[in-house]
């Protein structure tokens, strides 16, 4: 008897709807929120399209554009060389493709973040989640659900900044170190503009998620959408950054496969 094909079973599940594809990606446009650094630092480019032709004398049968933006705009992938701690590690083009498809653990802190936009996840929060759901997946993603994707329609609401800087949830420094150095995951995914909390500029070390994750050859996924549609365990994430040679990251199409009964 012929052994059933795993890929055939996957395709059958996709056709029947028993496997749902959830899009975790925010659309790219000139309205996509971008990070703002203090004056004096280089700034990322807002996404822009430049029309080349549109069924006209520049090209009668085709429409196409040039585009300009930063590597870390919208839903995007952080490679290890994005941070000084990982400067000698992989660029985004060198990330092994088998790491772009991985299981996900979704930790829901949306209620706590709604009460306190500066909410920080501690190691004990993750340990409590593991006690209920099992260990974090080996070679998988830790996805942090905070409800922040609901703010992505507005640059101001998304960054949530005042005279003291941005106020967005994230990991504490010790939790960031633990995720990078002791947990089995390959990276951290967030709904906010970056992997770090808004107040991380004043942490020790500053921006600990970037510092620890990149320095330990791990990755970031940011500005994710629709994490509320994923189960705590069992989803498979497909992250598709552009393979930009020497690039520190890339806008990415990020999808999740979810089994539905």
């Amino acid at each position: 008897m012929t052994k059933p094909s795993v890929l055939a079973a996957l395709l059958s599940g996709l056709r029947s709807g028993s496997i749902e594809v959830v899009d975790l990606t925010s659309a790219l446009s000139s309205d996509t929120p971008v990070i703002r650094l203090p004056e004096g630092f280089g700034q990322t480019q807002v996404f822009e399209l430049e029309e080349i032709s549109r069924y006209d004398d520049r090209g009668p049968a085709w429409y196409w554009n040039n585009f300009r933006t930063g590597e870390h705009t919208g839903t995007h992938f952080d490679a290890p060389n994005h941070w000084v701690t990982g400067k000698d590690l992989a660029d985004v083009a060198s990330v092994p493709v088998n790491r772009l498809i991985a299981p996900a653990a979704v930790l829901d802190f949306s209620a706590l973040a709604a009460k306190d936009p500066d909410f920080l996840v501690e190691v004990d929060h993750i340990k409590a989640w593991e006690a209920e759901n099992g260990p974090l997946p080996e070679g998988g993603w830790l996805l942090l659900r905070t409800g922040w994707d609901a703010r992505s329609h507005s640059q101001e609401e998304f960054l949530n900044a005042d005279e003291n800087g941005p106020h967005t949830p994230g990991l504490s420094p010790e939790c960031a170190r633990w995720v990078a150095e002791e947990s089995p995951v390959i990276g951290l995914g967030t709904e906010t503009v970056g992997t770090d909390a808004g107040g991380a500029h004043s942490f020790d070390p500053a921006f600990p998620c970037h510092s620890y994750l990149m320095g330990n050859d791990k990755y970031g996924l940011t500005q994710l959408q629709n994490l509320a549609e994923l189960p705590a365990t069992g989803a498979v994430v497909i992250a598709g950054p552009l393979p930009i040679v020497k690039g520190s990251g890339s806008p990415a199409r990020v999808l999740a496969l979810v089994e539905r009964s």
Side-chain angles (χ1 to χ4, degrees):
M1 184 175 180
T2 304
K3 183 179 179 180
S5 165
V6 173
L7 290 178
L10 172 63
L11 291 173
S12 175
L14 291 169
R15 284 194 295 265
S16 70
S18 62
I19 298 176
E20 180 184 358
V21 181
V22 179
D23 196 348
L24 306 184
T25 316
S26 58
L28 273 175
S29 75
S30 59
D31 294 325
T32 299
V34 295
I35 194 168
R36 290 177 182 159
L37 299 183
E39 188 175 347
F41 290 100
Q43 304 293 335
T44 195
Q45 172 73 42
V46 172
F47 184 85
E48 293 180 352
L49 283 181
E50 177 192 20
E51 189 174 277
I52 302 172
S53 69
R54 192 180 181 97
Y55 327 119
D56 51 29
D57 56 3
R58 299 169 299 171
W62 52 91
Y63 165 57
W64 57 340
N65 303 285
N66 293 317
F67 66 84
R68 175 180 171 84
T69 196
E71 296 171 323
H72 300 267
T73 300
T75 302
H76 64 270
F77 187 101
D78 291 348
N81 71 335
H82 175 43
W83 212 251
V84 64
T85 52
K87 64 184 178 66
D88 297 320
L89 300 177
D91 64 10
V92 70
S94 303
V95 174
V97 292
N98 62 357
R99 290 188 128 193
L100 299 178
I101 303 175
V106 183
L107 282 63
D108 182 5
F109 299 107
S110 54
L112 291 168
K115 294 178 181 177
D116 177 10
D118 292 310
F119 168 74
L120 297 178
V121 178
E122 303 288 353
V123 176
D124 284 348
H125 289 115
I126 299 178
K127 294 291 188 182
W129 182 92
E130 288 185 307
E132 184 174 345
N133 297 282
L136 296 176
E138 183 78 34
W141 287 97
L142 190 164
L143 303 183
L144 190 63
R145 183 186 164 206
T146 57
W148 216 257
D149 56 341
R151 297 170 173 253
S152 61
H153 63 282
S154 164
Q155 171 87 11
E156 285 67 34
E157 289 185 33
F158 197 64
L159 298 188
N160 197 37
D162 59 19
E163 65 277 5
N164 298 313
H167 298 273
T168 61
L171 304 186
S172 73
E174 174 55 25
C175 189
R177 186 206 62 76
W178 183 88
V179 170
E181 297 180 0
E182 298 185 38
S183 85
V185 300
I186 60 168
L188 171 70
T190 68
E191 298 169 328
T192 49
V193 74
T195 52
D196 271 295
H201 55 85
S202 62
F203 291 176
D204 184 18
F207 305 104
C209 287
H210 284 82
S211 182
Y212 288 126
L213 287 168
M214 309 293 100
N216 283 276
D217 200 25
K218 293 189 176 185
Y219 314 122
L221 284 175
T222 72
Q223 289 183 247
L224 297 172
Q225 299 276 311
N226 301 320
L227 292 185
E229 298 182 27
L230 305 188
T233 64
V236 173
V237 167
I238 304 170
L242 298 173
I244 302 170
V245 175
K246 298 184 180 179
S248 70
S250 167
R253 191 68 182 261
V254 183
L255 308 174
L257 304 181
V258 180
E259 283 193 78
R260 303 299 191 195
S261 56

